[in-house]
Structures are given as structure tokens and as C-alpha cells.
Amino acid sequence: MAGTILAPVGGEGVLKIAEDQSQETSVQETKPTFGHGMLRYFGFAEGYINLNNGSFGATPLPVTKYCDEINILSEARPDLFFRTTYKPMLREVRASIARLIGAETDECVMVPNATHGINTILRNFSWEEGDILVNFSTTYYAIKQTLHYFRDTEPHVTVHDIPLVFPMSHAEILKMFREHMESLPDTYDQKVMVLIDTLASNPGITFPWEEMVKICKEYKAWSLDNSLTPDPHGQSGATQVDLSESQPDFWVTNCHKWLMVKRGCAVLYVPRRNQHLIRTSFPTSWGYVSPPDQATFESIFEYTGTMDLAPYLSVKAALDFRESIGGEQAIQEYCNNLAVQGGKLMAEILGTGTTELTEEFTGPMTNVRLPLPPFGDKTLTASVKDTEDIMTELTHEYNTFVAAFVHGGSWWIRASAQIWNDSHLRLRVRHCDYPAVVSCDVGRKVMGAKATNPEEEGVRGVVVRGLTAQDIALLDVFEGDEYRRQPISVVSISPWSSLNDAETNDVLSKSLALPDPTSTPKISALVYIWEASIERLSPQIWSYDVFVREKIGRWLENDPTDEEQRQDEVNRRVSMAGTILAPVGGEGVLKIAENRSQETSFQATKPTFGHGMLRYFGFAKGYINLNNGESLPIHDLFWIWSITKGSFGSPPLLVTMYCDEINKLAEARPDLFLRAAYKPLLREVRVNVARLVGADAEECVMVPNVTHGINTILRNFAWKKGDIFVNFSTTYYSIRQTLHYFRDIEPDVTIHDIPLVFPMTHAEILKTFREHMESLPEACNQKVMVIIDTIASAPGVRFPWEEMVKTNVRLPLPTMEQETLAGVVEDSEEIMSELMHGYNAFVAVFVHGGSWWIRASAQIWNELSDFEYVAKALKAICARRSKRQASRM
């Protein structure tokens, strides 16, 4: 059975996302206004105020939908997607990013996050005693810890910290940096690497990084730039940073923060002049090539183990979304301007100040001092606890988040401005008595050069509760099509008032001072925002006092002439109270919906294994998947299990739905989830996995894939010349490449390959292995690491470890004699491609012991007829290939 086969142009599997996006997640033809109106395109919890995009980012709903389409495509035919389809899509992503940052496509690769990228660069250098890593007191903590690791392990490089205390000017930063570089010892062959933040983490301050790169070149030091956001200065006319102009030696940035792609995704830039220094990705995988040959930079990073590729590929959807709402320059200008204004407003309310001397320091972030006693002699642990207490209280009590930290002995918060953040103005409508509530972004367009003060950047009103759906519908009719009702978080500036409370008018007439937002709860309220043309708006702030004094009579059923009666009527109409948003428990604990649809939920009786199980998976119609399952121990000290594998694995639809719920939870309150909510969930996962494999939970941690786990173990040993890696001729290729990498770099460990040719018995395997181990030379302090497959990759044969179901069948093809490895790969790929595109099925094809073989994995959705169908298809393919080969002779 063939099913519908994906046949994109050129057979490359290019994805076309459905264009009929729903109104909730697609961008309208007219560019939407920045501010709270943008909230409809994000998955935040109701009333949640996110002022910390700089930590984890937020994914727009259209980008999430695109990722869902990517995942559907990958699950339909996993082998086709992970072997072929994603490659042109990834190239397109890299080309788009390269254009955005002023680089060439072959200078940019994708990595999971900036910390990963920086570790990749640092671990590709052969460090020696006396080499120096330079960073600043404001360097991101995870990066500082990375430097400390290199300091603490052989060969024990030196780490220099340059202290910075803000406020300080760019000129002062450059002066201190130059003086420090001048003071470094000038030693022959000494390597110096400088870690530079383009926008520091705490405080969120822009650095003069381009000038610092030039200083690095003067002193022959390597520059490694960590960019939170490109072009943080928001320079007029500059669309983005231009790396071809600034020319750092290495540069990395998190796309899931500033670019709004799905977490986690970062771009690593290495200019062509430095690519010879990058021998391997982390983890080392299929792309590694031993000297004297050199793999291309992009091929090293093209595939580094099975992982979710949707975050990388979502760059396309994120760029499309950003362009649809106004483009990069408009987004940067809005965020930078809002950060400046927001910082000033917060500092005024708190009665403190900011770290920024001028607006060039701000970028999309602002830092405001908290009115708390000086930090004093508290330890770092106490500092972390206190700041976590502040952030936790903000999240649970006030439904918002900003980053809190200590700097220069004082307590600070860092607020990130983004397109969904806003304050509002109340402008006059031409020839009308009533006002128009608009975002400050719109207000600035209407006001032009006419400045507003912080007191005017806010709308005072009354929250009304007790309204029914019918009441709200009548209000919609009353307001008409000039306004759009949308949810906005507002701050309470007075206690709830009774119907006859005359002080309600004081709220509206600004008799009450603005509140301290850190001690005032947020209220989720529906507000009518001006939707009509801004041409109808007057560049003047609407005054409630003037309205009451001069025009309210037109809006009352009986126009009282007595001022006291008029005021009573005003108070009666406006003094109703609203309901406060109160999230249950405030912790955002996930509850997966129990009413699963019949297609994806299990029936009361356990279903029968076989084709009936296909309903629970996302395979394309008629697709036969015979390529699933493996695990891998490293000697008897470590054990790594791939929960998803054969080659790529297949999650059931129920698991996919659960992941969707997890993603929604993460997007609702990103900081709460990624700082706290995930931890008990992850602990539960580790307990369940430990129980499954007969271990204790503290002995088990989660890693992205097996290759990553093995690299982690091997890179934690201090290898010396004479140490030995033992593996087998059947060891998985990416693991063999990892061993080759350790052999090729100092200190030149030795690799032993134990040849195995199947069929052979467990007894024969054990005998061969024991004889090899006995033959190893004994040396003092020599380390020997043995890598063992529980089930080898090709052939898929069980080692004497534990029972797993796999089978291997020899193909009726001539034996392979003098064919090169490249020829083997090409021929096996041709067979697998013909099987995929011609017969809508997949098995792994490989050469072993001079013969051609296939490896077929049995899973709960397979039946014997699947093996029969694939065998007949392979018989036909082999017959055609043998005939072609015979005709050439």
C-alpha cells in the first residue's frame, strides 16, 4: 500500500505551512499596533505582565503553529525528514539569519543556546597553562561558571575578572578594558580569549562591544561575543548589527529571545578566517573528519544527534511574523523607546534611579534600583535567596515578573521591553466629548513632537464587576465599532469602593498618587481601546476634570444643575468594582485534559498490538516504519539509554498532546515555568525512568540524546597519553567519530577496534572481548574506557547485555570488495531512498562482513505483513540493481 507520499519540488521535502491561519494566531493585513494589542499573538496567561523577555523569550502563536506543522511532517515519515527533508529548510534558515546579521551563510550554524555555543568555541581550543580567559563582573553567570571549569581542570588556565560598577559611561568601560589588556603579560604563544557581552545580563547594559573587538585585535586576543539582541543601541537607520563590519572572532546570540523563535535556538557565527580552529561540534557527531582532512564548518553542525529541529526551523516563521508586524527597525525602536520611558516611570514611582547615564545604554532593557537597604556583607547565597524571594512574590502575588539582582551593593530590577508591553494615553477625539484610550506607541504618533510626562502616560478608570455576558454585549453596542474590547492588566490605586463612595471621583481626577507597583496587585480587566482611524484623534490629552465640569450633562438622562447632584450621579455611575485575577495556587501546575478524543485516547480495554496501534501515531497513510529502538552502555560504570530511538523513534499522539500542554504552560508564564514549575515535573520523570531501568533517581539525569550523553562522560575525564578507548567494529558511527576526535587531539589517546563479523554467538563475542582485554598493556595510572552497544546499530544485533527485539537480513546483492566508504554510503542511501519514495516504507541498509544487509525494527504498530511487504520491495530493488550492474560489465 502506497499512501500519499510527500513529493516537494526536487524531492527535498520543503514544508508549506497552511495559509489559512485562524484569526487568533495570524496577523491581519494591516500591521497591528505595538503594545497590549499584541498579546493576542502570544500564549501568556490572562493578565500576566511579562517584563523579562531577556531571560527566556516568548513564542508567537503563528510560530508555535508552524512548529506544530514541522512536528507533524517529521512524525509522518521520520527517516525521510531526519535524513533528507530538514536539510534544505535548515540551509534556508541559516541564509536568513546570515542576511540579518551581516554575515555569509557558511559562517552561521544553529546551536541550542548561547551557553552551548560558547562552550563549543572554548572546547575547540587547545588550552595551555598560562593562557588567559578575560571576562567582566557582569558576565552571564553560566558563562562565568564555564570559565571556572576551565580554570579548575587541567591545564588550569587563568581567569581574569574586570570589575564594573554602574552607572558608568562607555568611555570609562573602554578605558578600564584597555588598561587591563595593557597589563597582561606578553608571553610567546600565550592565548588570550575575551568574553564580551553586547548587552550584559545583570544589569542589562549595552557594551561598546565593537570598539572592544578592535582593542582585542590590537592586543592579539581572541574576541568571543555573546549577544542578547542584535543592534541593542537601536541606531537610527541601522536595521541590524553588521558582523562583516565589526568582525568579531566568534559571535553567538539566542534567537529564542530577541527573534521570537521556539526555545531553544541560537546562531553561532564563525568567520571563514577562523573556521579551521573549529574541529568539532558539541557533541562530536557524524560531521567530524580526522586530520589531515578538514570538514566544512557547516557540515560539522548539520546533524549532532536526534533532537527536535522545530526550534531551528521556526526562524523562518519568526522572521515572517516580525516582518508582518512592522519589521526589525520598527520593533527595535519601539522596544528601546519603551524601555527608556518605562525605566523613568518606574524610578519615579520607586523614588530611586536607573543605571543608565544616557539612552545609549538601555537597548530593550532598563535597570531600576529598589528602595531597599544596601546589600552590605551578605553572602552570595543570601543574595540569591533574597532576589528569588522578591521574584517569587512578584510572580505569585502580582502575576508579573522582572529579574531582581544585586549590583554595586544595591538591589536592582531589570525590566525588558517588548512589543506586547505598553502604557496607555487617553487622547481627545476631534469634535467629540468622549476620549480614546490608545497605546503610548499610537499616542506618540498622534502627539508628534509634543512630549508627555509620566503622569499622563497612564489611564485612570474604574473596574466594574458583576456584569453579565448580556451587559457586556450592550456595552459593545454602546461603544460601537470605534473601539475594540481587549484584556489588559491594570494596577489598583485605591481600595474597592462602595456604590455611594464619593472618593471614587478622586481616583479619576488624579487626586490620588500613583501606586507602588511592587506592592499593588494586578487586575485583569477588559478595556475598550480605540480601533478607528488615528486621523480622528487630537494631539491633546483628554481631561476627566474638564469633562465633568463642562460636558457631562450631555450624557446624563436628567441634567442636574446642582453641582452636588451632578457629582453624586457621576460617582453612582463609576463606582462599581471588578474581580481580581487570582490564579489557582499561583503556581501554574499543569493539568492535562482528561477528555481525550477517541482517535488518540486508549479505550477501556487494552488495544491489540499491530496495525490497530497506528491510530495512536502520526505516520503518513500507508507508511511502514521498520526502523525503531536502541540503548548503549559505556563499560559497566555508565549507562545511557535512548528513550526515543531506533534511528529516530516515534512518539504516540498522546505524548505529542502532552508536549503541547507543556509548551502552553511554558508560554503562559515563561519565568515561572523555566525557573520553578518544571523542576518537580523533571524530578518525577527521573524517578519514573530510574524505576524503569532499576536505578535510583539521583543516578539518572536527562540529556538531549545518546551522543550528547556519551560526549558528556568522555569530556569529564582528564585523558593522558597511553589511555585507551575500546570499541567494536559495529559501534554507532557518531560515537566512533567522537573517539576519533579524542585520538586526534592532544594527548593522543589510543583507540582499539574489536572486529566482529556476524552471524556469531554471544559466547564468541564474549571470548573475543576477553582475549582483547587480556592483551591490553598494563601501565601505571592508565585509564581504559570500553564503549558497548547493548544492541549494535548496524547490524542491529543484541550484545550479551539484555534481550531486545531486532532482526537483520542479508540482501541478495553481490559482495562488496574494493568499494570505498563513500561508495557504500551512496549505494545504501540509494536503496533506502528508493524504498522510501517508491514503496512508502523504510529500513536501515548497511554493509557488514563484505555483504549488504538491512536492519528491521519491530514495534507495537508492526505486523508480520509489514516484513513481508518490505521484503518483496527489497527483492525488486535488488533485482533491478543487480541487473544494472550486470549490464555495465
Side-chain angles (χ1 to χ4, degrees), residues 43 62 67 101 113 134 137 173 254 262 276 280 330 448 466 543 548 551-552 616 671 693 700 737 829 832 834 840:
C67 291
I101 63 178
N113 52 63
V134 179
S137 58
I173 295 173
N254 277 319
K262 181 178 173 62
H276 67 283
T280 181
S543 169
V548 170
K551 301 177 181 179
I552 196 171
Y616 303 116
D671 278 276
V693 302
C700 301
Q737 293 303 88
E829 286 183 347
M832 292 186 291
E834 188 171 356
N840 201 28

Side-chain angles (χ1 to χ4, degrees), residues 741-757:
Y741 169 73
F742 280 95
R743 177 199 63 194
D744 297 338
I745 62 173
E746 297 179 5
D748 297 323
V749 297
T750 303
I751 297 178
H752 288 207
D753 287 288
I754 300 179
L756 299 176
V757 180

Side-chain angles (χ1 to χ4, degrees), residues 6 40 82 96 127 219 297 319 469 522 570 589 591 634 652 761 772 854 877:
L6 179 68
R40 75 179 78 172
F82 283 103
S96 299
W127 300 105
Y219 292 93
F297 174 62
L319 288 174
K522 301 293 186 299
V570 171
V589 178
K591 184 178 185 300
I634 306 180
T761 65
H772 188 89
I854 64 97
I877 292 172

